[in-house]
């Protein structure tokens, strides 16, 4: 069982993100920092999701140009949610990106994604942009929300 909109909406979002990601990594060198991370369970190395990075522009929209560095997480199976795996993975990636010189890291989500909204807050992200009704999930309108994390 998965969550997050109709299959067509999820596929459209996935393709947009993949296109932006492909454009961004095509300009990177092997010695540059990583842009994708697999989430595996520690006890048996079972794959349960991923974190991928992408760029957003000054209006907080996806772009295949270099821009503000953002990332998102996907743990598709509901049975793997609520166990702290997302927090642990997100925390590790925030630290990795900050250690590699990023002073600002962004996360974009939608207001109905309460788990992501809470996770961003727990990790010290703060909301910096909200576009009312900009996201449609399962036929319902939600706000598009962007968060920022600034390295201390």
């Amino acid at each position: 069982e998965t969550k997050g909109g109709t299959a067509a909406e999820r596929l459209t979002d996935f393709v947009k993100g993949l296109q932006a990601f492909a454009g961004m990594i095509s300009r990177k060198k092997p010695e540059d920092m990583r842009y994708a991370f697999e989430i595996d369970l520690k006890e048996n190395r079972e794959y349960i999701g991923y974190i991928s990075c992408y760029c957003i522009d000054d209006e907080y929209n996806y772009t295949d140009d270099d821009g503000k560095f953002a990332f998102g997480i996907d743990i598709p199976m509901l049975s793997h949610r609520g166990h702290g795996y997302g927090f642990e993975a997100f925390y590790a990636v925030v630290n990795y990106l900050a250690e590699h010189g990023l002073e600002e890291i962004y996360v974009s989500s939608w207001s109905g994604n309460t788990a992501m909204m809470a996770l961003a807050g727990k990790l010290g992200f703060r909301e910096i942009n909200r576009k009312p009704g900009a996201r449609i999930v399962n036929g319902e309108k939600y706000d598009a929300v962007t968060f920022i994390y600034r390295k201390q």
Side-chain angles (χ1 to χ4, degrees):
E1 183 180 355
T2 60
K3 181 176 165 182
T6 67
E9 290 169 337
R10 289 192 313 268
L11 182 59
T12 298
D13 286 347
F14 177 75
V15 169
K16 282 182 192 175
L18 196 56
Q19 288 170 333
F21 179 69
M24 183 178 69
I25 64 171
S26 69
R27 295 183 298 279
K28 304 301 177 191
K29 299 181 217 78
E31 63 271 14
D32 289 344
M33 83 179 127
R34 294 180 57 185
Y35 296 95
F37 305 85
E38 185 174 297
I39 303 170
D40 297 330
L41 296 178
K42 287 180 181 177
E43 61 270 12
N44 62 8
R45 304 205 34 88
E46 175 188 356
Y47 170 82
I48 64 165
Y50 64 91
I51 293 176
S52 62
C53 302
Y54 55 94
C55 287
I56 56 176
D57 62 21
D58 290 337
E59 301 294 318
Y60 307 104
N61 298 311
Y62 292 109
T63 180
D64 60 1
D65 296 326
D66 289 333
K68 297 172 181 0
F69 202 79
F71 69 101
I73 185 171
D74 189 22
I75 299 177
M77 299 299 295
L78 296 179
S79 62
H80 289 126
R81 296 180 186 180
H83 302 286
Y85 306 138
F87 176 86
E88 190 174 340
F90 223 67
Y91 180 80
V93 171
V94 167
N95 284 329
Y96 172 84
L97 297 174
E99 286 170 5
H100 283 79
L102 286 179
E103 306 243 340
E104 296 181 340
I105 304 166
Y106 296 82
V107 170
S108 295
S109 192
W110 51 286
S111 58
N113 187 348
T114 55
M116 182 68 247
M117 304 288 279
L119 180 56
K122 278 187 205 177
L123 289 171
F125 284 77
R126 68 176 179 80
E127 184 177 323
I128 58 164
N129 187 269
R130 182 176 287 255
K131 296 177 184 176
R135 299 285 293 271
I136 299 174
V137 179
N138 293 330
E140 298 288 326
K141 287 187 177 184
Y142 293 91
D143 298 349
V145 185
T146 304
F147 298 89
I148 188 171
Y149 173 86
R150 287 197 172 96
K151 185 177 176 179
Q152 302 295 326

